[in-house]
Amino acid sequence: MNQSVILLFIATFALHAQMPPALVNAERAKILEGVQSVPKSGAPGPIGIWGNIAFPILSAPDKDGVEMAVAAAAGYAKGRIILFGHNSFLDGGIGGDHAQLMKNCVKWAGNKEKPRVGLKGSNAIAFYKQQGFDAESVTELTPKQLNEYDVVIVNMQGVVSNEEGAAVAEFVKGGGGFIGGMTGWAFDQTSGGKDLAVSHGLNQAIMAAGVAITDMSAFDNLRRFEARFELPQMMNASDAIASIKKQREGGPTLDAAAMKQGTNAIQLAMASQPPGRNNLQTAVLAALGNAGADSAIPTKQAPLTLDKHATQRLRLGMETRVLRLSSGEGIAPHPAHEVFPGKVPADAERITSEVKVIPGINGWTSTGLYAAAGETITVTLPENLADKGYALRIGCHSDTLYHLDKWERAPDITRSVPLTTSTTEMSSAFGGLIYIEVPSRAKDDATFTATIQNGVPAPLFVLGVDDDAKWKEIRQRPAPWAEMACDKIIISFPREVGQAINNPTELMQFWKAVVEAQDEITNQAAERTRPERIVADAQISAGYMHSGYPIMIPTSAGPEMTTLTRLKFPGWGFYHEIGHNHQRRTFTFDGTGEVTNNVIGMYCYEAVLKKDWLIGHGGITEESRKDHIKKIKAAKDKWQTWKSDPFLALTTYIQLIQEFGWESWRKYLHSFDGTEYGPEPKGDDEARDQFLIRYSKIANKNLGPFFDFWGIPVSSSAKAEVSKLEAWMPKGL
């Protein structure tokens, strides 16, 4: 699209009209000319798109077929912008047709064949010179330096000031080209804990063009992006908003796929916005119209499903997105909060509390306070710690459900805001337990006290500080959610579950022992910088339970988590998820993601429960293990069979431990801490080889024939290294 065409488009079409699809496809075709595919680099995130002259360039569908863009383009006044969801795309050396893509991007952004190119934060000057451009380094994003170039290419990963952002925006408005890239989800790590939507001056400045980097991640299982000239129109949030508004006003009805695509586009665009009301939020609210009959509150008994409640889901999803971005205080309670996470009793007292924060322990610092929905919480911390990465969090239910076909609660109910000033006011439409979030880089800060005002007392038991008698008083605190904590783990559950707990000391000693056992067997005790967390939730984002920080479980499992007689058997799911958090790439290769965590989990039966460690799951009974052996014997492709069946693969590890004991597993995992067996494996092939070599030497047996039986591929050199040891096979194989 030449400059006159862009200006004609702006002059001809009414405000808020979008580029015609044919024009979008034509411009995308110019950027993708000669490009068939581009490999994925690193862990990129999606771009938010909502501008009238903005469109995706490279895209890929998620597991549900919803397209997300890793690269997008936009026209802005007289200039042009291209954004990539990872800074490595700027360097042109990923492979495939990447070099051709970047050559096209420079020409398109500069709107000429040989634009002058300036690069900041990138070492790719030689690459762009090879493409025929006059390229050189830019030291500062000032008007004087910017005006020396037709196109500037900027690695946006670092903090960019508002002044630099404004200078780039003016440069583009005057006819310049801008190409930027960054890994948005990693910005808080690379910037010292700053918030992308608030603190990145350049990303904020170019939002006027209707494109922005988001702090989301995507494309996990993707290897490459295929170049396609035609992509769904509903990838632009403004297109989606307009279509939804037309549907509400009696226009064409969107099918489920279009609604899902459009909703996702709106959510991505909203995810990039800074807090406070903005034009995009206003447009979303206008498209939704008055709540009326479209308003709905999801419950377990009456969930909102994509096929039956598309309009209600859209409204609720947009409401939660707008609420997350709303200014810090003055937010009204959302009606759905009464269902989950729950309503604070009307007569509950509000208190001011001083909370001790230890920067050496990163993550969420529990405060023993709860924020009532819609009520303002005020937190004050020392002046010298403002804007240092600390944050105020309301709510422990951090899973978002937008992607699920069924919602049993509102899809997004927690809030976290950076503490950029010494005093911060914040409220949440859903309420929740209050935390001070501590960044990992703060470990050298001195312990300090944060003052929190207007919190509702919440049950919080701390092992070693409180005793069973005191718990009987603590559990009467009125907040709807409670916690129990020790230095190794913190568990969160509904208040009513806590009312039945009479032995909190014994319970938390047990949980402490579980984590310590897994820390010890995996040689990770020294790595621990914070307690594990387990949170019960009405609905989680994936699976029955899932690992992470926090580990998420269903509220139905809350009583099991807090009742020792139920925890001790079966308990498998809890040990399984904590085991996931202890997995490392050194001993977890392809096919063992749901295996090595179970080996770690089984150790809890041995070390903590003092029970037969083969009683935890039906998939490891003697009969099941015999079936697994029959299955692998009959398999035409043993390796494919082995890595596709976690409990079959687990039988391999069980046989090793049965013969050589838990000490062999301990020595194997601890072996990666030293150099006795050489360097750590660098990939799956090396990891399998080292599994054979290390375990064989630890057991003093040649396990090559055993690996062959199970179909685990290892190299001939690895087999040769252990060939002089006596060969071993379990009885019956």
Side-chain angles (χ1 to χ4, degrees):
M1 174 171 26
N2 62 39
Q3 204 61 60
S4 61
V5 173
I6 292 179
L7 295 175
L8 178 62
F9 172 80
I10 295 172
T12 303
F13 287 83
L15 185 64
H16 301 310
Q18 298 300 113
M19 286 176 65
L23 189 54
V24 170
N25 292 342
E27 292 305 307
R28 186 184 297 116
K30 293 177 184 177
I31 299 173
L32 296 178
E33 184 179 359
V35 178
Q36 292 186 341
S37 68
V38 176
K40 185 182 80 168
S41 179
I47 305 295
I49 307 170
W50 67 95
N52 304 130
I53 313 176
F55 55 91
I57 301 171
L58 282 179
S59 172
D62 67 8
K63 62 181 179 62
D64 297 319
V66 175
E67 295 278 350
M68 289 183 285
V70 74
Y76 182 36
K78 297 180 181 180
R80 300 177 176 190
I81 293 170
I82 291 178
L83 291 182
F84 288 92
H86 198 287
N87 46 303
S88 64
F89 282 101
L90 305 177
D91 295 339
I94 298 175
D97 298 319
H98 183 215
Q100 182 63 47
L101 172 66
M102 296 313 299
K103 183 177 182 179
N104 295 347
C105 285
V106 171
K107 290 181 178 181
W108 187 89
N111 199 23
K112 60 176 62 175
E113 276 295 309
K114 298 289 185 180
R116 297 165 298 165
V117 179
L119 292 94
K120 188 174 191 299
S122 171
N123 296 320
I125 294 174
F127 165 78
Y128 287 101
K129 285 186 175 181
Q130 289 173 359
Q131 307 309 310
F133 302 117
D134 181 8
E136 60 185 39
S137 176
V138 177
T139 56
E140 295 180 326
L141 299 178
T142 61
K144 182 178 179 181
Q145 288 210 9
L146 290 170
N147 288 334
E148 295 180 7
Y149 307 102
D150 299 306
V151 176
V152 289
I153 300 173
V154 179
N155 179 348
M156 300 167 62
Q157 201 63 48
V159 178
V160 182
S161 69
N162 292 336
E163 291 75 18
E164 290 177 308
V168 171
E170 288 301 314
F171 167 72
V172 176
K173 286 168 66 177
F178 173 77
I179 302 174
M182 69 178 294
T183 314
W185 59 262
F187 179 70
D188 70 327
Q189 303 168 29
T190 60
S191 65
K194 296 184 182 295
D195 186 88
L196 177 63
V198 175
S199 301
H200 200 291
L202 180 51
N203 199 41
Q204 283 193 311
I206 61 177
M207 282 185 187
V211 289
I213 304 289
T214 72
D215 62 1
M216 303 175 73
S217 60
F219 318 114
D220 289 344
N221 298 316
L222 191 72
R223 291 183 177 272
R224 61 183 57 249
F225 295 91
E226 303 298 329
R228 291 171 289 162
F229 296 162
E230 294 190 16
L231 291 171
Q233 188 175 355
M234 297 278 274
M235 291 181 69
N236 184 302
S238 292
D239 279 318
I241 292 167
S243 297
I244 290 164
K245 187 172 186 291
K246 287 179 182 177
Q247 174 180 275
R248 185 176 61 80
E249 294 172 346
T253 299
L254 298 172
D255 61 27
M259 180 66 78
K260 201 165 190 176
Q261 179 65 66
T263 301
N264 182 75
I266 295 171
Q267 290 165 356
L268 285 175
M270 295 283 282
S272 66
Q273 307 299 307
R277 185 63 59 86
N278 57 49
N279 291 338
L280 183 62
Q281 292 181 33
T282 302
V284 171
L285 293 174
L288 293 174
N290 296 325
D294 287 344
S295 183
I297 297 174
T299 65
K300 184 175 182 60
Q301 295 72 29
L304 296 184
T305 60
L306 185 62
D307 57 341
K308 295 181 180 179
H309 309 97
T311 303
Q312 294 94 327
R313 281 168 58 99
L314 176 65
R315 166 174 292 283
L316 181 57
M318 292 303 98
E319 285 173 352
T320 56
R321 184 67 77 185
V322 170
L323 287 168
R324 175 175 279 240
L325 296 171
S326 297
S327 55
E329 25 115 16
I331 298 173
H334 194 285
H337 92 275
E338 296 189 21
V339 174
F340 193 85
K343 187 176 181 180
V344 170
D347 60 351
E349 67 172 330
R350 274 62 169 171
I351 65 172
T352 296
S353 180
E354 292 188 343
V355 177
K356 181 181 179 182
V357 180
I358 304 174
I361 303 174
N362 63 72
W364 305 353
T365 297
S366 295
T367 65
L369 297 172
Y370 193 94
E375 295 189 10
T376 299
I377 300 298
T378 303
V379 61
T380 304
L381 75 166
E383 288 272 3
N384 66 306
L385 297 178
D387 205 22
K388 297 294 185 181
Y390 294 92
L392 172 62
R393 164 173 285 278
I394 296 179
C396 57
H397 304 101
S398 55
D399 272 15
T400 58
L401 314 179
Y402 295 112
H403 62 291
L404 299 180
D405 290 340
K406 179 175 70 173
W407 293 349
E408 297 176 358
R409 66 157 169 84
D412 191 357
I413 63 175
T414 65
R415 292 196 73 198
S416 175
V417 299
L419 297 174
T420 56
T421 58
S422 60
T423 298
T424 301
E425 292 185 338
M426 173 182 168
S427 56
S428 161
F430 293 91
L433 289 167
I434 300 172
Y435 304 92
I436 301 297
E437 294 187 65
V438 179
S440 58
R441 65 190 58 79
K443 62 182 183 297
D444 295 327
D445 290 347
T447 298
F448 65 92
T449 298
T451 301
I452 300 176
Q453 298 175 311
N454 204 39
V456 176
L460 172 62
F461 175 90
V462 180
L463 183 66
V465 175
D466 305 309
D467 57 25
D468 291 2
K470 190 174 180 181
W471 169 247
K472 293 179 180 179
E473 299 176 13
I474 293 172
R475 69 184 179 186
Q476 301 308 315
R477 293 173 185 171
W481 281 80
E483 291 190 320
M484 290 186 169
C486 67
D487 61 335
K488 297 299 187 297
I489 192 168
I490 301 170
I491 58 176
S492 307
F493 45 86
R495 179 181 181 273
E496 57 267 24
V497 172
Q499 302 305 298
I501 302 173
N502 295 310
N503 57 341
T505 299
E506 184 183 11
L507 176 66
M508 292 313 295
Q509 286 174 339
F510 169 81
W511 275 116
K512 177 182 173 72
V514 166
V515 177
E516 287 178 339
Q518 294 203 12
D519 282 353
E520 188 278 325
I521 194 72
T522 59
N523 195 32
Q524 293 172 34
E527 293 182 25
R528 182 158 300 285
T529 60
R530 65 186 180 192
E532 300 285 344
R533 278 189 176 272
I534 305 179
V535 172
D537 196 335
Q539 186 180 13
I540 65 176
S541 61
Y544 176 67
M545 299 179 178
H546 72 70
S547 59
Y549 184 85
I551 293 167
M552 300 300 297
I553 68 170
T555 48
S556 60
E560 181 181 350
M561 177 173 66
T562 56
T563 307
L564 271 176
T565 54
R566 296 182 66 181
L567 270 174
K568 289 182 177 179
F569 183 79
W572 181 275
F574 297 98
Y575 315 142
H576 170 102
E577 302 303 347
I578 298 173
H580 270 308
N581 285 358
H582 284 81
Q583 285 176 310
R584 297 293 184 267
R585 63 173 182 81
T586 51
F587 59 86
T588 303
F589 47 83
D590 182 31
T592 61
E594 294 295 333
V595 181
T596 57
N597 62 313
N598 281 332
V599 184
I600 298 167
M602 287 190 301
Y603 181 64
C604 295
Y605 292 88
E606 169 80 6
V608 182
L609 304 181
K610 309 298 183 183
K611 291 179 177 288
D612 178 355
W613 52 275
L614 292 173
I615 63 173
H617 196 284
I620 60 172
T621 63
E622 183 176 3
E623 183 178 353
S624 294
R625 300 196 306 274
K626 288 180 180 178
D627 288 341
H628 298 151
I629 292 171
K630 291 179 182 177
K631 184 176 179 180
I632 201 69
K633 284 182 176 179
K636 293 181 179 179
D637 185 338
K638 285 189 172 185
W639 173 231
Q640 186 60 40
T641 300
W642 191 91
K643 68 178 182 177
S644 300
D645 188 336
F647 281 102
L648 181 149
L650 185 57
T651 301
T652 302
Y653 292 82
I654 289 172
Q655 289 180 324
L656 289 172
I657 295 168
Q658 282 180 315
E659 179 69 20
F660 304 111
W662 279 105
E663 186 59 25
S664 66
W665 177 247
R666 175 185 287 103
K667 287 181 178 179
Y668 169 57
L669 299 188
H670 282 236
S671 72
F672 297 102
D673 190 43
T675 59
E676 180 181 356
Y677 299 96
E680 289 186 356
K682 294 181 180 179
D684 279 0
D685 291 346
E686 288 188 14
R688 291 193 303 271
D689 278 0
Q690 291 201 27
F691 181 25
L692 171 65
I693 294 168
R694 290 170 187 254
Y695 225 108
S696 292
K697 291 182 177 180
I698 289 166
N700 198 32
K701 298 289 184 182
N702 175 7
L703 301 180
F706 178 66
F707 274 49
D708 287 341
F709 172 83
W710 284 105
I712 305 171
V714 290
S715 68
S716 57
S717 60
K719 289 182 178 180
E721 190 166 338
V722 299
S723 61
K724 294 183 179 180
L725 298 173
E726 180 185 358
W728 172 82
M729 286 283 282
K731 293 179 181 178
L733 297 192

